Amino acid sequence: MEDIEDLLVGSGGGAPPGFRLPITAVGLNPKKNKNQNKPNPNGNSNKLSQIQDPLAPLSPKIPGTETIYIKTFGCSHNQSDSEYMAGQLSAFGYPLSDNPEEADLWLINTCTVKSPSQSAMDTLIAKGKGAKKPLVVAGCVPQGSRDIKELEGVSIVGVQQIDRVVEIVEETLKGHEVRLLSRKTLPALDLPKVRKNKFVEILPINVGCLGACTYCKTKHARGHLGSYTVDGLVERVKSVIADGVKEIWLSSEDTGAYGRDIGANLPILLNAIVAELPSDASTMLRIGMTNPPFILEHLKEIAEVLRHPCVYSFLHVPVQSGSDAVLTAMNREYTVSEFKTVVDILTELVPGMQIATDIICGFPGETDEDFTQTLSLIKLYKFPQVHISQFYPRPGTPAARMKKVPSTVVKRRSRDLTSVFEAFTPYVGMEGRVERIWITEVATDGIHLVGHTRGYVQVLVAAPESMLGTSAIVKITSVGRWSVFGEVIETIPHINDTVSGNERPKQEKSFSGLNHYETSACSTKSENCCCGPESCGGQAEKCAVTKNDVQLEDRNSRNLIGWLLRKRKNHVAKPVENEIGLGSQKKQEQTQGSLGEWGVVDRALLGGMLVSFLTIVTLLLHLGFRILSSN
């Protein structure tokens, strides 16, 4: 089937980001009718037109009311894409559900890095087809392998077309199969978004990469490097901080390559972002995965950023192998010595620096000696986090054509490396230490909250969920293999916790109809305010003022002059709310006192209304006298 872009009617190149094409302008593969090819008695064909009648009742439900289930595989970039798609669907009224059975449509965002991820996608697609669910498949699999049989009969949307997901969903719900894969400009950063964790913003800084790794399928999907502008990213950072986000994760296929296509670089971006972070470190920055080649020339500048109190001293730097011969076969464009330089300089210049890495076991041509070198590298640095995977040949990649290592050998090497790694005790010595942590989520046990230290060490604390989104001083009470346990000593108040009424988070405004997103912290009655002064930054006082205003409006609505008074009150009420949000009681009293002061315009309006009233009364009296005299 052709892409939807190739079927557009007219000479236009599609819709701008976030704009839905009307149905008469979208080409699609309509749902087939079993009788559509049979001639009718009049000799005319019943074959459906490629373009559907916009007035025809194609869906049994009102558009925008069907429930959507979203499943995401893969990296944080994929997660961010899913959040953007969820945001747009929610903004158009579609309810979201975590229960696939109750959903009317499944949106599956896929990953092509490893065979297990794609196999899980295949299983889910088959399950959806068996349940007769309309399916939309997004992500790297359809973008890089559009013609695989698993994608037959389902709609697909490419990685750079996520801003048109509403169009795809609407047409799929009508029974049409549509495709949207053509590459275009990067999706806008200010699209509506429903975050999986409302305290964490996953911010894609670029797509694609400059590498050409022989095993990588992602390059086929994400393509060449495309970077967002520094100004655009900084504006997004400002926006999400205002939304109440407490962690910003910079995400991409290779963070270190950022900006090389637009005349910028990673240090320039990092310094611009850090300058916008709150001075009380209430919002933290986490730098995403970066390959060694593109940060070697900026190590000192990056180390300086990692020392900043608002930046986690943590970095994910994949090495993939401890053998130069294997790295050459992978076309990784660096040596083991260069990787060691990255690790050594960062750990030397950044106190408490934590580095995570990746290893692929059993790459084609890997010998026992090569694997021994990998073991030695991991033992040397004792990395606290090592992501170990077996080599999986990805269709269409050069490595898929190389002679494979026997699967039994690959599995044995993976087990051996895992045993070495799990024997490490990276957090021994932390017991009794006092650390500041940033708390952002609930642990899987449902009992503890999850926080992270500056080095991004996971800390589990027994604390109420009201502490989510806060920072605290904790004492480490015990350590485990993967995390440590802590006891809260004190909660750190944040300067930017107080948000005035006209600065409520933009994200909440976008999804005012969702059950799981509250649009306001307070009701119109002060006694129903669901948060205290400490947690909603003075919103309790605002609720009380709102109640008084409602009572005043009820009294004033009884007469004509009351209408003018309400207009006057509403005009002045905005600065009153602003003063409350700032916590300035003195200014509030001054502003409230000004309610009784009337300007020239007010007097003119009142005078005009009085003259009009007297004129109407005079006319009515005159008309009455004339009627009486005629009788």
Side-chain angles (χ1 to χ4, degrees), residues 36-291:
Q36 73 180 63
N37 292 321
K38 293 182 180 181
N40 61 26
N42 298 324
N44 298 323
S45 173
N46 290 326
K47 185 176 180 180
L48 291 176
S49 169
Q50 283 290 94
I51 306 303
Q52 297 295 309
D53 181 358
L55 301 179
L58 296 173
S59 176
K61 288 192 176 183
I62 299 174
T65 63
E66 294 92 339
T67 301
I68 311 297
Y69 166 70
I70 301 178
K71 176 65 177 179
T72 305
F73 297 97
C75 64
S76 61
H77 197 161
N78 256 23
Q79 181 61 48
S80 177
D81 286 352
S82 289
E83 292 175 356
Y84 273 125
M85 290 189 285
Q88 293 169 84
L89 292 167
S90 293
F92 275 96
Y94 288 99
L96 305 177
S97 174
D98 292 328
N99 184 355
E101 304 303 324
E102 71 177 21
D104 298 299
L105 177 142
W106 293 3
L107 172 57
I108 305 170
N109 196 1
T110 61
C111 173
T112 190
V113 171
K114 301 177 183 179
S115 294
S117 298
Q118 189 161 335
S119 296
M121 176 210 77
D122 296 343
T123 301
L124 189 59
I125 289 177
K127 183 179 179 181
K129 288 180 177 179
K132 300 189 182 304
K133 299 286 187 180
L135 300 176
V136 175
V137 180
C140 293
V141 172
Q143 188 73 64
S145 307
R146 67 178 70 183
D147 296 323
I148 61 175
K149 64 178 182 179
E150 288 80 9
L151 297 180
E152 293 177 0
V154 304
S155 294
I156 57 178
V157 56
V159 294
Q160 292 186 17
Q161 299 280 6
I162 61 172
D163 52 357
R164 295 180 63 184
V165 67
V166 175
E167 295 173 58
I168 302 294
V169 166
E170 287 184 344
E171 296 306 322
T172 304
L173 285 167
K174 295 172 183 177
H176 305 147
E177 176 192 342
V178 291
R179 291 190 170 197
L180 197 58
L181 290 169
S182 299
R183 300 186 188 281
K184 61 181 190 64
T185 57
L186 300 177
L189 290 171
D190 59 354
L191 293 169
K193 197 171 191 179
V194 173
R195 300 184 184 93
K196 183 178 180 181
N197 183 332
K198 67 179 181 180
F199 298 112
V200 176
E201 166 71 7
I202 304 172
L203 179 60
I205 63 174
N206 57 264
V207 300
C209 68
L210 294 176
C213 300
T214 56
Y215 57 85
C216 183
K217 185 73 173 177
T218 305
K219 180 66 176 281
H220 294 189
R222 296 285 182 178
H224 199 64
L225 180 69
S227 302
Y228 287 96
T229 65
V230 173
D231 290 343
L233 290 165
V234 168
E235 287 303 312
R236 180 63 181 174
V237 166
K238 292 179 182 178
S239 174
V240 301
I241 291 174
D243 284 350
V245 162
K246 300 304 179 183
E247 282 188 7
I248 300 173
W249 298 358
L250 301 187
S251 177
S252 80
E253 283 63 58
D254 186 357
T255 302
Y258 169 80
R260 289 173 179 261
D261 58 321
I262 58 173
N265 58 46
L266 184 60
I268 291 174
L269 174 65
L270 294 178
N271 284 307
I273 290 177
V274 164
E276 301 299 332
L277 299 178
S279 59
D280 61 351
S282 56
T283 300
M284 295 292 288
L285 179 69
R286 194 186 87 173
I287 304 174
M289 185 274 289
T290 176
N291 288 312

Side-chain angles (χ1 to χ4, degrees), residues 187-504:
L189 290 171
D190 59 354
L191 293 169
K193 197 171 191 179
V194 173
R195 300 184 184 93
K196 183 178 180 181
N197 183 332
K198 67 179 181 180
F199 298 112
V200 176
E201 166 71 7
I202 304 172
L203 179 60
I205 63 174
N206 57 264
V207 300
C209 68
L210 294 176
C213 300
T214 56
Y215 57 85
C216 183
K217 185 73 173 177
T218 305
K219 180 66 176 281
H220 294 189
R222 296 285 182 178
H224 199 64
L225 180 69
S227 302
Y228 287 96
T229 65
V230 173
D231 290 343
L233 290 165
V234 168
E235 287 303 312
R236 180 63 181 174
V237 166
K238 292 179 182 178
S239 174
V240 301
I241 291 174
D243 284 350
V245 162
K246 300 304 179 183
E247 282 188 7
I248 300 173
W249 298 358
L250 301 187
S251 177
S252 80
E253 283 63 58
D254 186 357
T255 302
Y258 169 80
R260 289 173 179 261
D261 58 321
I262 58 173
N265 58 46
L266 184 60
I268 291 174
L269 174 65
L270 294 178
N271 284 307
I273 290 177
V274 164
E276 301 299 332
L277 299 178
S279 59
D280 61 351
S282 56
T283 300
M284 295 292 288
L285 179 69
R286 194 186 87 173
I287 304 174
M289 185 274 289
T290 176
N291 288 312
F294 299 111
I295 61 169
L296 279 166
E297 60 189 89
H298 300 302
L299 280 177
K300 291 186 178 179
E301 295 97 319
I302 291 175
E304 184 177 355
V305 173
L306 288 166
R307 289 196 299 267
H308 193 281
C310 296
V311 181
Y312 286 118
S313 51
F314 168 85
L315 200 60
H316 178 196
V317 187
V319 64
Q320 305 299 7
S321 175
S323 164
D324 283 338
V326 175
L327 291 178
T328 300
M330 291 178 172
N331 196 29
R332 290 289 290 171
E333 300 180 341
Y334 59 86
T335 64
V336 175
S337 176
E338 289 172 329
F339 171 78
K340 288 181 176 179
T341 298
V342 172
V343 176
D344 292 341
I345 290 180
L346 291 180
T347 52
E348 176 186 353
L349 297 180
V350 183
M353 183 70 196
Q354 298 279 317
I355 293 178
T357 194
D358 299 348
I359 295 292
I360 297 175
C361 293
F363 188 82
E366 182 186 62
T367 64
D368 288 339
E369 175 58 28
D370 294 328
F371 180 67
T372 299
Q373 293 175 18
T374 298
L375 283 174
S376 299
L377 180 68
I378 299 302
K379 290 177 181 178
L380 174 64
Y381 287 104
K382 293 182 170 61
F383 297 105
Q385 297 181 37
V386 179
H387 308 116
I388 302 168
S389 62
Q390 300 173 28
F391 171 74
Y392 294 99
R394 306 303 295 133
T397 62
R401 299 189 296 269
M402 299 178 183
K403 185 177 180 180
K404 292 191 292 185
V405 176
S407 59
T408 54
V409 176
V410 175
K411 292 177 181 178
R412 174 175 53 80
R413 289 175 181 173
S414 177
R415 288 194 301 268
D416 291 347
L417 181 58
T418 301
S419 297
V420 169
F421 166 62
E422 291 183 349
F424 297 157
T425 53
Y427 307 130
V428 169
M430 287 190 67
E431 189 169 352
R433 190 184 302 176
V434 175
E435 297 273 359
R436 180 177 180 178
I437 66 171
W438 289 262
I439 303 171
T440 56
E441 60 184 313
V442 179
T444 54
D445 63 7
I447 300 173
H448 295 86
L449 301 185
V450 179
H452 292 92
T453 67
R454 270 286 313 282
Y456 216 68
V457 176
Q458 181 174 275
V459 182
L460 303 178
V461 294
E465 290 191 18
S466 59
M467 288 193 66
L468 287 170
T470 68
S471 179
I473 302 297
V474 301
K475 181 179 180 180
I476 306 302
T477 56
S478 61
V479 300
R481 174 60 187 87
W482 311 110
S483 58
V484 301
F485 291 85
E487 181 181 274
V488 176
I489 298 176
E490 64 173 312
T491 302
I492 300 176
H494 294 156
I495 296 172
N496 64 337
D497 277 350
T498 301
V499 182
S500 60
N502 63 334
E503 295 176 340
R504 300 307 302 165

